[in-house]
Amino acid sequence: MMTAPIVWKSSARRLPASEVRRGAIQIVDATKFYGSGASRVLAVDRCSLDVRAGEIFVIVGPSGCGKTTLLNAIAGFHELDGGTIHLDGKLLCGPRQRARLGSDRVVVFQNGALFPWKTILDNVAFGPIVQGTLRRADALAKAGQMLADAGLRGYERSYPGETSSGVKRRVEIVRALMNRPAVLLLDEPFRALDALTKSVMHEALLAIHARNRGTALFITHDVEEAVFLGGRVAVMTSRPCRLKKILDVDIPYPRARSIVTSKRFRDLVAETTSVVHEEALKAHALGEKEG
Amino acid sequence: MVAHATATDAVGRASKLVWPQRPRAWSAGRAQRRAVVAYVVALLIWQLGSTSPRWLGYPLPWISHVPTPGSVAVAWARLVSDPGYWRSWGASFVRVLVGFSAAVVTGVPLGLLMALSRPVRAVVFPVFELLRPIPPLAWVPAAIIFWPTQELSIDFVIFIGAFYTMVLNALGGADGIDPRLIQVARSMGASRWNIFHRLVLRAVVPSILVGMEVGIGITWEVVVAAEMISGGGSGTSTASGGGLGFFIWNSYVGGSYPQIVVGMASIGIAGFLSSAALRLAAARFTRWTAAR
């Protein structure tokens, strides 16, 4: 952090990947109920997952299956009723013990949560400034550099309300990465975007992830999105949420848009879809609402 | 924010939704020209209405009792050179400013405190809601008894006029903050203090500004009642500097009807000027809301 304000990129190149990668998550028997008494619903049932450090791990499942519950437990927004979650070998949360909120795990929300009264640059610089890890001027310089790296030069002085939803979403990812999180938690971040913007965002996310050595835990119900982004894709069962199947996406990074027409990609999508579809039917039968 | 938005700009925006407008450039110049036309038409209606016995043969209801624009202009022209009239302006402005500032300075923190602390809200809000419906006018006798000086009594009644609006707007603004913004800030390592001064204090600005705009309007509405306390301050002349509100009442007692209208119009202008000043300030502070 002494010479250049942007150490992240350069240090990632200097060190062998094995030493830099962090963000391994072990979820063991995670269980979560909602409500109490007679209306108590089992949302997540003894769900176990192993997310490897540095990978893009995608969780797919029907709407309302409890994917977000898992993510919120990792983030520290609520507690589990049973099971444990470890991050890089350290206990993050156990039964009835909420994970500490911390900048090692930053969430990118579905509908965006940029501070509307701050400029794009101030939004991105927020984390290091409030944590006191960088002086204000350094934080702003680093934020400007990260925005430029993400192809967002020229938006620094705009307010979020003045930019498109695609730009906002990218800014939000950059803002999260400013905190150098071990894990980036993405909760259907591109759900509200149109198909064209979405495909641009996918490539942007892959490019950003390739430069930064952290884990990305990505939640979606869009199978194509899952296969295009994910190193591995976990399909979850409908309520209660449990691991149904993990698929290895053996298409090497960097992935170009063109792979979506390849046979391997289509096969993987078809395979995932058939697994997801069973669960979607079950969810439909239960009358699960969107969400 | 949503609930209070009507006061500032919603008139213009809502009308665009209700009346699909022709795709024509709407310039500030055009709006100003239309405002001038509106004033001229209003004056014309006033002139015709107040002189209706002469040109129509019988008085139109209500409006024929209003002094003619001419007589008002004559009275006003005479008053412009009367230092007492300007002292009344000054006195009312100072009172509004004092009462209003007190309402902002106490109301905003109280609203924020209620928004941030459940126990405080549980204790304060029921009392607040019980006091709120009591009109400022009803506080006049109590204010006279409470406060040692006449001036403080007047300031207090004006303060009551704006206080509740300020509290409610601060409270509503803080309640309306998107909880995800707070979650995201906390997950980026923001402390409670950081969240308060970087999030809450910034996010409530628009709704506090709307509250101020509504509040200052109410203070000018209250000024007449409040200044009846004063009894005119020093002298007994119609323009002795007792404030614009007292000026109106005194003109009525003295039977000078054109002066009543002068006083009314003066308060209208004073309120218009204060709101315009606040709006200008608001636009500077909330550039970020413009694009939403």
Side-chain angles (χ1 to χ4, degrees):
Chain A
M1 199 87 29
M2 287 166 295
T3 45
I6 311 305
V7 204
W8 202 347
K9 252 169 71 183
S10 44
S11 71
R13 287 206 193 99
R14 221 181 304 121
L15 297 166
S18 59
E19 281 181 51
V20 185
R21 290 193 180 223
R22 52 198 186 120
I25 307 167
Q26 285 88 41
I27 305 174
V28 181
D29 289 338
T31 303
K32 174 79 183 174
F33 293 94
Y34 280 120
S36 56
S39 60
R40 204 158 109 120
V41 180
L42 182 59
V44 181
D45 181 23
R46 283 164 295 142
C47 179
S48 297
L49 282 176
D50 258 313
V51 181
R52 295 173 199 145
E55 76 174 326
I56 302 184
F57 190 86
V58 184
I59 298 180
V60 192
S63 292
C65 84
K67 311 175 293 256
T68 301
T69 306
L70 271 181
L71 184 133
N72 284 345
I74 298 170
F77 296 149
H78 58 54
E79 57 189 29
L80 290 174
D81 293 311
T84 56
I85 300 176
H86 283 77
L87 174 62
D88 288 329
K90 273 175 282 184
L91 183 70
L92 205 57
C93 64
R96 311 211 171 272
Q97 176 208 340
R98 188 184 289 205
R100 185 184 48 80
L101 281 161
S103 57
D104 52 347
R105 295 148 280 136
V106 178
V107 179
V108 177
F109 283 102
Q110 206 173 90
N111 297 312
L114 290 174
F115 306 123
W117 55 85
K118 285 184 179 295
T119 61
I120 299 288
L121 190 67
D122 285 332
N123 259 288
V124 174
F126 183 84
I129 290 176
V130 295
Q131 290 158 35
T133 49
L134 287 180
R135 276 179 300 146
R136 192 180 150 76
D138 295 339
L140 290 175
K142 184 178 170 185
Q145 186 59 48
M146 298 232 352
L147 282 169
D149 286 348
L152 291 164
R153 203 188 289 277
Y155 288 105
E156 293 89 346
R157 284 153 163 265
S158 307
Y159 287 96
E162 297 169 335
T163 62
S164 70
S165 49
V167 167
K168 275 192 282 236
R169 221 39 52 80
R170 267 188 289 169
V171 170
E172 222 176 328
I173 293 170
V174 171
R175 180 179 70 172
L177 292 172
M178 267 295 275
N179 301 285
R180 315 187 56 180
V183 185
L184 192 58
L185 301 164
L186 300 128
D187 186 4
E188 299 195 42
F190 309 141
R191 181 180 182 167
L193 302 182
D194 62 272
L196 282 175
T197 314
K198 213 171 174 178
S199 71
V200 174
M201 294 306 298
H202 289 156
E203 283 175 300
L205 178 67
L206 287 183
I208 290 171
H209 184 257
R211 281 202 309 270
N212 300 286
R213 304 292 174 138
T215 305
L217 185 61
F218 193 105
I219 286 183
T220 182
H221 57 229
D222 177 340
V223 172
E224 287 215 17
E225 178 173 79
V227 174
F228 185 76
L229 295 173
R232 289 189 301 153
V233 175
V235 179
M236 310 307 280
T237 60
S238 187
R239 284 221 160 150
C241 177
R242 211 180 292 159
L243 177 63
K244 187 176 175 88
K245 188 171 187 183
I246 289 193
L247 293 103
D248 268 300
V249 183
D250 50 4
I251 302 171
Y253 298 103
R255 293 175 186 166
R257 193 75 230 160
S258 54
I259 67 159
V260 300
T261 51
S262 71
K263 170 135 189 358
R264 186 67 196 135
F265 183 85
R266 300 304 337 165
D267 287 349
L268 281 165
V269 168
E271 191 184 344
T272 316
T273 305
S274 67
V275 184
V276 173
H277 189 65
E278 282 173 36
E279 292 307 316
L281 283 178
K282 269 198 270 172
H284 182 72
L286 288 170
E288 204 56 71
K289 67 172 168 54
E290 280 287 304
Chain B
M1 188 56 212
V2 178
H4 315 288
T6 29
T8 23
D9 45 21
V11 183
R13 286 194 200 166
S15 69
K16 265 182 230 158
L17 297 178
V18 178
W19 307 107
Q21 294 197 344
R22 276 163 290 170
R24 215 164 49 166
W26 181 262
S27 63
R30 189 201 301 275
Q32 277 161 9
R33 282 200 299 280
R34 291 202 176 176
V36 170
V37 170
Y39 288 135
V40 170
V41 170
L43 267 176
L44 204 68
I45 292 172
W46 177 11
Q47 171 70 34
L48 288 176
S50 56
T51 57
S52 57
R54 250 174 288 160
W55 60 266
L56 198 62
Y58 74 93
L60 285 171
W62 196 79
I63 196 165
S64 60
H65 299 296
V66 179
T68 60
S71 66
V72 171
V74 168
W76 211 334
R78 207 177 50 243
L79 283 165
V80 164
S81 56
D82 181 347
Y85 170 71
W86 293 110
R87 272 203 304 280
S88 277
W89 265 83
S92 290
F93 248 108
V94 167
R95 285 164 185 159
V96 161
L97 218 65
V98 169
F100 176 70
S101 307
V104 174
V105 168
T106 57
V108 170
L110 182 64
L112 292 181
L113 207 61
M114 279 204 272
L116 298 178
S117 158
R118 270 165 214 254
V120 170
R121 183 189 291 212
V123 170
V124 176
F125 196 67
V127 181
F128 177 82
E129 279 299 276
L130 204 67
L131 293 176
R132 190 161 69 94
I134 303 172
L137 243 165
W139 283 96
V140 167
I144 295 171
I145 298 166
F146 281 169
W147 297 94
T149 70
Q150 206 176 65
E151 207 52 36
L152 281 173
S153 306
I154 297 173
D155 293 340
F156 177 74
V157 173
I158 290 171
F159 159 83
I160 289 285
F163 177 68
Y164 300 110
T165 308
M166 291 319 303
V167 175
L168 282 184
N169 273 53
L171 175 62
D175 275 351
I177 298 174
D178 186 344
R180 288 172 317 150
L181 294 183
I182 293 173
Q183 284 186 333
V184 117
R186 291 193 62 196
S187 91
M188 287 194 291
S191 61
R192 278 177 180 277
W193 166 243
N194 267 319
I195 285 178
F196 177 71
H197 85 107
R198 290 179 197 269
L199 249 83
V200 178
L201 280 190
R202 304 300 295 281
V204 295
V205 166
S207 106
I208 286 177
L209 287 172
V210 170
M212 287 171 74
E213 220 179 294
V214 175
I216 200 140
I218 300 175
T219 59
W220 282 107
E221 287 170 30
V222 172
V223 92
V224 181
E227 284 178 349
M228 283 179 197
I229 297 172
S230 82
S234 48
T236 46
S237 108
T238 44
S240 64
L244 290 173
F246 176 77
F247 175 81
I248 293 175
W249 188 244
N250 211 33
S251 304
Y252 169 69
V253 173
S256 171
Y257 293 166
Q259 275 196 20
I260 297 178
V261 180
V262 172
M264 290 166 72
S266 302
I267 288 185
I269 291 168
F272 179 90
L273 289 178
S274 348
S275 297
L278 267 176
R279 246 195 306 277
L280 266 178
R284 273 183 60 91
F285 282 113
T286 53
R287 188 164 87 82
W288 56 272
T289 57
R292 288 198 307 175

